[in-house]
């Protein structure tokens, strides 16, 4: 059986984008997300988790315990039904299962956590179980990410594009020779996102293990490597800085550790590469019981 993590972790990830759209906003014509007050670019936690899930699914294809619960074109209830099948009950019997088995909630939760990496990591909202009045429909995961924010304000650009063909015979007969379109890009931006890993939740709820932790670090470092596309431009994780606590509940507040990671822009008015920034980590007088490692 895999060993559940015993240490709390806080971490900082830096990634950048060049001539791409890191996270389009569907309510704004797919324009890159932006803080309207400051002009800084934003990337949601949901976007980053999607890329982590995609990497794990590709890297661990077929490996036991590493399936992905939230995935494209797979209804969530299809995976939920596997838990009912594990208990030997039907959907109709689910509402009454607690009368026969008072521990059914825990068995279902443990089954889902054991089989799905993203539930074990990020948690999940499983409405099928909630509708059946089972107290395992909401699982809080030990790994939590915030929104990523660009170091400097961004200036999204709308670029016109053309296609030297048409879609239908009628368009060709009407004399149309090309199709026109537009897409948004960010010329360059460096983003920072902070995250937390709770050993307490791992022990009490999902069973997130040391093996899962190593896979998570690998997935974060490589989360853009399987996501290359014309829309994304060039995206890469540049830094992963990890603070490890000796204890389960932590040895210092996370904000004090995050404040030790600073970013300075070099002498350039318009940053256009990662080399235009300098990232520093203050490792002097580190709080007792906390160590800092730069994985990349």
């Amino acid at each position: 059986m895999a060993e559940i993590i015993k240490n709390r972790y806080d971490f900082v990830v830096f990634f950048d984008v060049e001539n791409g759209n890191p996270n389009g906003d569907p309510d704004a014509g797919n324009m890159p997300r932006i803080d309207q007050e400051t002009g800084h670019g934003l990337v949601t936690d949901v976007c980053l988790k999607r890329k982590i899930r995609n990497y794990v699914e590709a890297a661990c294809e077929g490996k036991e315990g590493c399936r992905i619960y939230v995935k494209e074109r797979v209804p969530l209830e299809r995976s939920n039904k596997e838990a009912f099948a594990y208990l030997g009950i039907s959907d109709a019997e689910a509402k009454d299962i607690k009368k026969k088995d008072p521990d059914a909630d825990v068995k279902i939760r443990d089954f889902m956590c054991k089989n799905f990496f993203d539930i074990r990591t990020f948690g999940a909202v499983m409405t099928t179980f909630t509708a059946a009045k089972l107290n395992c429909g909401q699982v809080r995961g030990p790994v939590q990410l915030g929104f990523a924010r660009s170091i400097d304000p961004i200036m999204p650009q709308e670029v016109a594009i053309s296609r030297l063909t048409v879609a239908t015979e009628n368009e060709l007969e009407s004399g149309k020779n090309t199709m026109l379109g537009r897409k948004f890009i960010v010329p360059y931006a460096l983003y920072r996102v902070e995250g937390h890993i709770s050993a307490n939740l791992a022990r009490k709820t999902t069973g997130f293990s040391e093996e899962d932790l190593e896979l998570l670090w690998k997935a974060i470092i490589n989360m853009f490597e399987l996501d290359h596309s014309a829309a994304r431009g060039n995206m890469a994780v540049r830094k992963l800085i990890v603070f490890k606590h000796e204890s389960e509940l932590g040895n210092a507040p996370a904000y004090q550790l995050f404040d030790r990671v600073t970013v300075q822009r070099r002498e350039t008015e318009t940053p256009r590469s990662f080399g235009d920034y300098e990232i520093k980590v203050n490792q002097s007088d580190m709080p007792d019981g906390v160590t800092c490692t730069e994985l990349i």
Side-chain angles (χ1 to χ4, degrees):
M1 183 176 179
E3 181 182 5
I4 298 174
I5 62 170
K6 295 181 174 63
N7 307 87
R8 195 186 100 187
Y9 294 85
D10 298 295
F11 60 93
V12 183
V13 183
F14 289 92
F15 64 88
D16 61 0
V17 57
E18 180 181 359
N19 296 328
N21 185 349
N23 186 201
D25 185 347
D27 289 331
N30 207 43
M31 185 180 77
R33 297 179 189 271
I34 191 169
D35 182 330
Q36 298 297 331
E37 291 185 332
T38 67
H40 287 80
L42 300 173
V43 174
T44 66
D45 60 314
V46 174
C47 174
L48 298 176
K49 289 176 182 178
R50 175 76 272 147
K51 299 182 192 316
I52 292 172
R53 285 183 171 104
N54 289 347
Y55 179 84
V56 171
E57 183 178 21
C60 302
E61 188 173 3
K63 184 177 179 181
E64 184 179 357
C66 289
R67 295 169 59 196
I68 297 300
Y69 178 67
V70 181
K71 58 192 298 185
E72 187 177 5
R73 298 184 181 278
V74 178
L76 299 179
E77 68 175 3
R78 185 182 300 173
S79 300
N80 295 342
K81 288 179 179 179
E82 294 182 27
F84 290 153
Y86 169 73
L87 292 180
I89 63 172
S90 64
D91 291 0
E93 297 171 317
K95 291 184 179 180
D96 298 321
I97 185 61
K98 289 277 287 182
K99 298 177 182 178
K100 302 177 182 178
D101 186 354
D103 296 326
D105 290 332
V106 175
K107 291 178 180 177
I108 290 174
R109 183 200 68 192
D110 290 348
F111 174 86
M112 298 301 287
C113 289
K114 179 181 178 181
N115 285 276
F116 296 95
F117 174 85
D118 53 340
I119 297 179
R120 205 161 56 247
T121 304
F122 303 124
V125 177
M126 297 173 279
T127 54
T128 299
F129 304 140
T130 302
K133 297 182 179 180
L134 294 169
N135 191 29
C136 57
Q138 294 187 12
V139 175
R140 185 181 174 193
V143 180
Q144 299 298 327
L145 291 171
F147 274 32
R149 176 178 289 269
S150 66
I151 302 303
D152 288 309
I154 64 172
M155 184 62 70
Q157 297 181 9
E158 189 176 18
V159 180
I161 56 176
S162 62
R163 184 178 72 185
L164 294 178
T165 185
V166 291
T168 67
E169 293 287 348
N170 289 336
E171 289 174 334
L172 181 63
E173 292 173 1
S174 67
K176 183 181 286 189
N177 295 317
T178 61
M179 298 290 288
L180 299 178
R182 292 183 176 277
K183 69 176 183 178
F184 288 100
I185 65 166
V186 176
Y188 183 81
L190 178 65
Y191 288 79
R192 169 177 174 156
V193 60
E194 297 164 353
H196 314 270
I197 304 177
S198 169
N200 185 258
L201 284 174
R203 175 176 60 84
K204 291 182 177 179
T205 308
T206 72
F208 185 79
S209 68
E210 293 289 347
E211 184 179 349
D212 293 329
L213 181 65
E214 290 304 312
L215 179 56
L216 175 67
W217 296 144
K218 188 176 181 180
I220 290 174
I221 291 170
N222 294 283
M223 62 181 170
F224 298 116
E225 297 305 309
L226 302 182
D227 192 56
H228 293 300
S229 70
R232 297 284 181 268
N234 294 322
M235 295 188 68
V237 172
R238 296 291 190 161
K239 283 281 186 183
L240 172 55
I241 301 163
V242 178
F243 296 96
K244 180 180 179 180
H245 300 252
E246 285 186 355
S247 67
E248 180 183 279
L249 298 179
N251 298 81
Y255 78 88
Q256 291 183 1
L257 305 178
F258 293 151
D259 286 348
R260 290 174 170 270
V261 182
T262 57
V263 185
Q264 292 181 341
R265 191 171 69 191
R266 302 186 192 273
E267 295 181 1
T268 178
E269 192 170 321
T270 307
R272 282 296 181 266
S273 72
F274 181 65
D276 292 333
Y277 291 95
E278 183 179 10
I279 299 174
K280 295 182 179 180
V281 183
N282 179 12
Q283 299 226 30
S284 63
D285 300 322
M286 192 71 70
D288 291 340
V290 178
T291 57
C292 178
T293 305
E294 296 185 39
L295 296 187
I296 58 170

